[in-house]
């Protein structure tokens, strides 16, 4: 599988490279574009402030430019938190997308979004201040209405970015469970 993996608001940190290496070890080709052009951050607040300064349109422009050379191959779009929202936007706009794997995040869905049974898998903490129960219920219904085939996995007691071993949110058990399910998902595509 060809996977475009987008980083979180912390930037392109070691956890993203480790995830890409894990996916490559499972036989996938993976690209990890740096949407922040080398900048990384120690806190969510710093990363969000930087992201706000770039602006959503510029961030998406950078993501589209990174994915464009590979989109004819039929990409699986993947991302962590902010990167998941970027991945979701690109997958819903790419008719050749093979799948969408979201780790720790989702995004708004355009009313006009339409896909043909796009396989989507979401992994998210429970509870998660960024992905509340009400939001996820609405998101799920909107994704189904758009034509996606959606699976949601919740991890009780885990922190928001629970797959990043360098952050306080890290939960080794939830992270391993996520990767086991995620790798199975990718193998099924």
């Amino acid at each position: 599988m060809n996977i475009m993996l987008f980083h979180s608001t912390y930037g392109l940190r070691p956890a993203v490279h480790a995830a890409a290496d894990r996916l490559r070890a499972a036989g996938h080709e993976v690209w990890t574009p740096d949407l922040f052009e080398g900048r990384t951050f120690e806190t969510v607040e710093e990363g969000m402030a930087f992201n706000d300064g770039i602006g959503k349109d510029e961030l998406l422009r950078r993501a589209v430019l990174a994915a464009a050379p590979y989109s004819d191959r039929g990409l699986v779009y993947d991302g962590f938190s902010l990167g998941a929202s970027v991945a979701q936007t690109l997958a819903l706009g790419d008719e050749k997308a093979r799948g969408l794997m979201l780790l720790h995040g989702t995004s708004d869905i355009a009313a006009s979004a339409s896909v043909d049974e796009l396989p989507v898998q979401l992994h998210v903490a429970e509870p998660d201040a960024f992905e509340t129960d009400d939001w996820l219920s609405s998101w799920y219904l909107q994704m189904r209405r758009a034509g996606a085939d959606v699976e949601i996995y919740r991890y009780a007691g885990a922190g928001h970015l629970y797959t990043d071993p360098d952050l306080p949110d890290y939960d080794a058990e939830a992270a391993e469970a996520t990767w086991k399910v995620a790798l199975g998902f990718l193998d099924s595509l």
Side-chain angles (χ1 to χ4, degrees), residues 73-185:
R73 299 180 186 197
L75 291 172
V76 172
Y77 290 92
D78 188 2
F80 295 94
S81 193
L82 170 70
S85 69
V86 170
Q88 176 185 304
T89 300
L90 268 60
L92 292 178
D94 181 353
E95 63 186 33
K96 293 182 181 177
R98 297 278 310 271
L100 173 60
M101 188 164 62
L102 305 170
L103 302 167
H104 322 294
T106 61
S107 185
D108 294 331
I109 301 166
S112 61
S114 178
V115 293
D116 187 18
E117 296 183 22
L118 179 71
V120 177
Q121 192 173 87
L122 168 64
H123 297 270
V124 65
E126 181 179 29
D128 188 319
F130 296 102
E131 303 290 327
T132 65
D133 291 344
D134 288 346
W135 167 258
L136 287 174
S137 294
S138 175
W139 176 86
Y140 174 83
L141 293 172
Q142 291 175 53
M143 284 297 277
R144 294 290 300 151
R145 198 172 304 122
D149 181 13
V150 182
E151 298 177 339
I152 299 177
Y153 293 87
R154 305 288 307 267
Y155 300 87
H160 176 65
L161 271 168
Y162 64 84
T163 59
D164 188 329
D166 296 325
L167 296 176
D169 287 347
Y170 182 62
D171 183 313
E173 186 177 327
E176 283 308 309
T178 295
W179 285 113
K180 181 179 180 183
V181 173
L183 290 171
F185 171 72

Side-chain angles (χ1 to χ4, degrees), residues 3-14:
I3 302 170
M4 185 64 53
L5 178 61
F6 295 103
H7 60 76
S8 75
T9 195
Y10 286 95
L12 187 57
R13 294 165 30 89

